[in-house]
Amino acid sequence: MAADLHLQSGTLRFKFEVESKFRVPPDFKGLLEKKGAKLLQQTQFTDVYFDAPNHELSLTGRWLRKRDEKWELKIQKLKHDLRVESNREIENEGEIVNELVEILKAQCGNVDRGCTSVEELVQSTCCKQIACFTTRRTVYEMPNGVIIDLDQASFGYEVGELEVVVPSEKDIDLAKETIKKTARLLGIECRIAVPGKLEEYISQNCRSHYEQLVKHGCFIDREC
């Protein structure tokens, strides 16, 4: 079922990503092959993240990024489950604009409701760049449909992720269980306390913003 849900998600206006991060152990690619994982692709991309001047987007769990030439908006849920998280991801540009206008109009008096592209909206408001880095990614698919991303970021950080993409919020619990079973099969510990690339980048480069995000429940305090 997980594989079918992942394939169907490409036709949706938005989707739910259920994912869990992990530290990549030595010789992990060899283990994946032994467990029947299929190498899907090796790719490279650059992410540029934007935020409102006082972090009104990120502090409400909204992450606006431009991945190469494509805009995406990820709306995260607060991290109550310490192993697996779920996020709603919007890739339709019109939907992204509608979501952003309602927040930004309260912060930037010159928000134009007539904006039809994210680029136009960002340029006409007070949004600013908060992060930029390049990732080299190797992607595998397990026999049960779980996608495994192995990422190496340009600022020296490496992290793995188990992911299932589902079309509906009602499918999230099943996807979480699938991910947990896959983690046990691979002998890895998945915990949200393992930071993603953006979380690690902000921790290294803007500590005050990072601490605000911990306070608002967007990041986990790894020192606790």
Side-chain angles (χ1 to χ4, degrees), residues 149-166:
D149 295 331
L150 304 179
D151 288 352
Q152 291 185 313
S154 56
F155 58 94
Y157 185 61
E158 181 178 9
V159 67
E161 178 181 276
L162 303 182
E163 178 187 76
V164 176
V165 179
V166 296

Side-chain angles (χ1 to χ4, degrees), residues 101-135:
V101 163
E102 293 304 312
I103 300 171
L104 294 176
K105 69 178 182 180
Q107 308 297 330
C108 309
N110 62 339
V111 173
D112 183 2
R113 286 181 172 272
C115 289
T116 58
S117 71
V118 179
E119 193 84 44
E120 183 182 2
L121 182 62
V122 168
Q123 291 179 357
S124 66
T125 63
C126 40
C127 286
K128 61 181 180 180
Q129 178 179 314
I130 60 168
C132 179
F133 51 85
T134 297
T135 298

